[in-house]
Amino acid sequence: MTELQQAPITLALSKGRIFEETLPLLQDAGIEVSEDPETSRKLILSTNQPDIRIIIVRASDVPTYVEYGAADLGIAGKDVLVEHAGGAHPGALYQPIDLQIARCRLCVATREGFDYEAAVQQGARLRIATKYVRAARDHFAAKGVYVDLIKLYGSMELAPLIGLADAIVDLVSTGNTLRANGLVAVEDIMPISSRLIVNRASLKLRRKKIQPMLDVFQRASQETIA
Ligand code: PRT
Ligand code: MG
């Protein structure tokens, strides 16, 4: 057996909502994770199955680990996958299953009282602050709206309040964060959920081990929809 065939199957997850919402799917498949990443400092977690391990990485790094084959599988939000598109090895990522977890919406939001429709109709050049530069650029290009995109890494809600931007493009789930900051969602860009991603070479070389995991996630996602 080659070294690769002996290595455990590696699943890349981010801690927080994706880990928490993936745990029940793993449990349904009889996979128990050894430790809780919220309390443990370990970044490699073993499971009750010697040939399956989990690595904990930043949400936006999940596609990179899978693309390079450092992880065989990963779970990432569609927002992250859209921004990652066209990475170093396009085509290395296979995206077979929408797990329907960690759902939210990617939206345009402005300060309450800002007339977004009027600004768009007047052809005003809008300043948009966002972490989701690619999704935002595509959205406004499709609408034919000129925008100046300002890249931020977090706390986007602050930008319209402090005069950095006219609007933000951000994820919204309950809407509490927008409300707490006097902002309103004025346009939906796309619904977001988390997807299973698989390294294509791993799938080919290690199909025997990976296919049962795909089957498990496929079943679990169908149960989520039902
Ligand atoms: O936090 P870090 O910078 O490490 O990375 P991350 O923010 O990308 O990770 P994490 O764990 O926060 O999010 C992982 C994935 O969860 C995202 O990539 C999304 O696909 C998904 N998801 C689902 C969300 C939300 N819902 C969500 N509400 N990610 C972030 N949020 C944030 C949003 O950006 C905003 O600040 O929550 C706030 C709004 O929430 P509400 O409920 O107040 O509307
Ligand atoms: Mg976060």
Side-chain angles (χ1 to χ4, degrees):
M1 245 205 270
T2 67
E3 206 177 302
L4 178 69
Q5 281 162 331
Q6 281 171 348
I9 296 290
T10 302
L11 170 66
L13 297 177
S14 52
K15 54 180 181 181
R17 66 190 102 217
I18 290 191
F19 182 86
E20 281 152 27
E21 295 190 35
T22 301
L23 215 49
L25 308 186
L26 293 173
Q27 274 163 357
D28 282 354
I31 302 167
E32 301 283 342
V33 185
S34 62
E35 268 162 293
D36 176 359
E38 296 302 334
T39 51
S40 161
R41 287 165 192 271
K42 280 196 189 164
L43 298 176
I44 302 180
L45 308 179
S46 56
T47 71
N48 61 342
Q49 311 212 1
D51 56 353
I52 302 175
R53 67 178 172 182
I54 287 162
I55 60 171
I56 301 296
V57 305
R58 279 294 285 267
S60 48
D61 290 336
V62 167
T64 306
Y65 279 85
V66 178
E67 175 178 25
Y68 282 89
D72 303 286
L73 310 121
I75 296 177
K78 186 176 178 192
D79 49 312
V80 165
L81 294 170
V82 166
E83 295 307 309
H84 184 83
H89 302 95
L93 290 183
Y94 170 55
Q95 206 190 113
I97 302 167
D98 180 351
L99 296 170
Q100 304 281 348
I101 59 170
R103 291 169 71 165
C104 58
R105 299 173 291 134
L106 186 67
C107 295
V108 181
T110 65
R111 261 176 30 210
E112 265 170 49
F114 179 87
D115 196 341
Y116 175 71
E117 284 307 323
V120 165
Q121 269 173 15
Q122 286 157 16
R125 194 174 181 108
L126 293 173
R127 277 185 309 163
I128 309 288
T130 188
K131 183 170 152 185
Y132 308 98
V133 170
R134 187 188 289 254
R137 187 187 297 121
D138 291 352
H139 172 71
F140 290 107
K143 273 174 73 88
V145 174
Y146 286 101
V147 291
D148 289 319
L149 291 173
I150 302 170
K151 167 87 187 186
L152 291 178
Y153 292 87
S155 302
M156 263 91 79
E157 297 83 7
L158 190 57
L161 303 180
I162 214 93
L164 175 64
D166 302 305
I168 60 172
V169 166
D170 196 6
L171 301 175
V172 180
S173 63
T174 61
N176 289 341
T177 307
L178 291 183
R179 263 191 301 279
N181 290 289
L183 302 178
V184 282
V186 290
E187 195 164 60
D188 271 358
I189 298 181
M190 65 177 90
I192 300 289
S193 55
S194 287
R195 317 296 162 109
L196 183 72
I197 53 175
V198 185
N199 179 279
R200 270 186 210 279
S202 295
L203 182 59
K204 223 161 127 188
L205 296 169
R206 316 183 72 188
R207 181 139 218 156
K208 258 204 192 125
K209 282 187 173 183
I210 290 178
Q211 189 62 49
M213 291 189 73
L214 297 191
D215 295 342
V216 158
F217 281 120
Q218 182 71 57
R219 269 199 307 276
S221 69
Q222 278 159 355
E223 280 160 24
T224 317
I225 299 166

